[in-house]
């Protein structure tokens, strides 16, 4: 047999819903998986053009797209899903088969990993203090978990989780729009421009995710194939496109400008706390390390 047979091979694993993706939806998921995988390789490859101390954002961004690639691989294969009774059984041609609707919980596992990393990319770029970064990421995790629980809830109580999730989302938006933006502006035009470009894109896209949820897992309005296209387009812009814009902006930004003091093993601190290459030789003078022509000189006070 030729063509995409993934749904036939994995049919019944995790249960079969009345309303589930077709081969067209599976093909789309495979295509997005391929883009995410390629983006991961590109981001990792670009990291080798930088010193090890300047690769943090490359690694975070590559981890985002690699995690998404695994999730889309699973969804393309019809795995990582469970049938859930639809709250609204409609008579439309697209969703008239429900009954039960296929819910991809693997999508939420993806988001549980990748959305904090996306926020970490943005908030580290803005130079926010760590306590603010941590509470923002916590609220993001709260948003994802409530979205998953709501998607798996068969009754109208799912909309309670939807409200809680959106309240958490509004807190994240508040931090991005008002707090982080001011910090980024204080760090100069390069940082501010990069933050604004990626921040505006992220906020715009993230406002569309609750709409997609309401039309698919929540309201059972659109077919799972249409759900796949909706979420897939959002994820392509929110991850590989976001990552490309972020790394392009960071080409002229040193981690030290953001308050990120990352040191390599072959660097030693000078009198100002700045690490310098030592060519393998260490000199100590009153607690300050300097190169001393291959010898180690120790002066006591």
């Amino acid at each position: 047999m030729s063509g995409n047979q993934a749904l036939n091979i994995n049919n019944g694993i995790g249960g079969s819903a009345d309303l589930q993706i077709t081969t067209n939806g599976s093909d789309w998921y495979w295509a997005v998986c391929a883009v995410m995988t390629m983006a991961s390789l590109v981001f990792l490859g670009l990291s080798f053009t930088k010193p090890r101390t300047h690769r943090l954002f490359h690694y975070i961004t590559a981890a985002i797209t690699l995690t998404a690639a695994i999730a889309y691989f699973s969804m393309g294969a019809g795995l990582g899903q469970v049938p859930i009774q639809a709250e609204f059984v409609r008579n439309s041609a697209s969703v008239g088969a429900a009954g039960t609707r296929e819910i991809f919980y693997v999508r939420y596992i993806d988001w549980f990993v990748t959305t904090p990393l996306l926020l970490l990319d943005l908030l580290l770029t803005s130079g926010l203090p760590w306590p603010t970064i941590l509470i923002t990421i916590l609220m993001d995790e709260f948003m994802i978990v409530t979205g998953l629980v709501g998607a798996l809830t068969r009754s109208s109580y799912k909309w309670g989780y939807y409200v809680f999730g959106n309240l958490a989302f509004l807190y994240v938006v508040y931090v991005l729009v008002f707090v982080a933006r001011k910090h980024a502006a204080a760090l100069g035009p390069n940082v501010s421009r990069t933050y604004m470009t990626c921040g505006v894109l992220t906020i715009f896209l993230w406002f569309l995710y609750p709409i997609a949820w309401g039309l698919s897992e929540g309201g059972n309005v659109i077919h799972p194939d249409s759900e796949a296209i909706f979420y897939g387009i959002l994820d392509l812009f929110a991850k590989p496109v976001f990552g490309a814009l972020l790394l392009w902006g960071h080409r002229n930004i040193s981690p030290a400008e953001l308050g990120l003091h990352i040191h390599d093993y072959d660097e030693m601190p000078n009198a100002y706390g700045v690490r310098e290459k030592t060519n393998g030789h260490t000199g100590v003078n009153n607690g300050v390390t300097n190169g001393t022509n291959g010898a180690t000189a120790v002066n006591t006070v």
Side-chain angles (χ1 to χ4, degrees), residues 232-261:
I233 291 174
L234 292 179
D235 279 351
L236 286 171
F237 279 96
K239 292 168 182 174
V241 173
F242 166 90
L245 292 172
L246 183 92
L247 296 182
W248 176 257
H250 272 272
R251 73 194 188 281
N252 295 322
I253 299 173
S254 166
E257 295 178 55
L258 309 175
L260 300 172
H261 302 290

Side-chain angles (χ1 to χ4, degrees), residues 4-17 20-22 25-27 29-30 71-83 102-106:
N4 181 358
Q5 298 298 318
L7 299 182
N8 293 330
I9 294 171
N10 297 312
N11 184 39
I13 298 178
S16 296
Q20 55 189 349
I21 61 169
T22 66
S26 176
D27 289 340
Y29 279 136
W30 288 122
Y72 275 91
F73 175 89
S74 302
M75 291 186 286
L79 302 173
Q81 56 81 29
V82 63
E102 184 177 59
I103 302 296
F104 281 106
Y105 59 82
V106 72

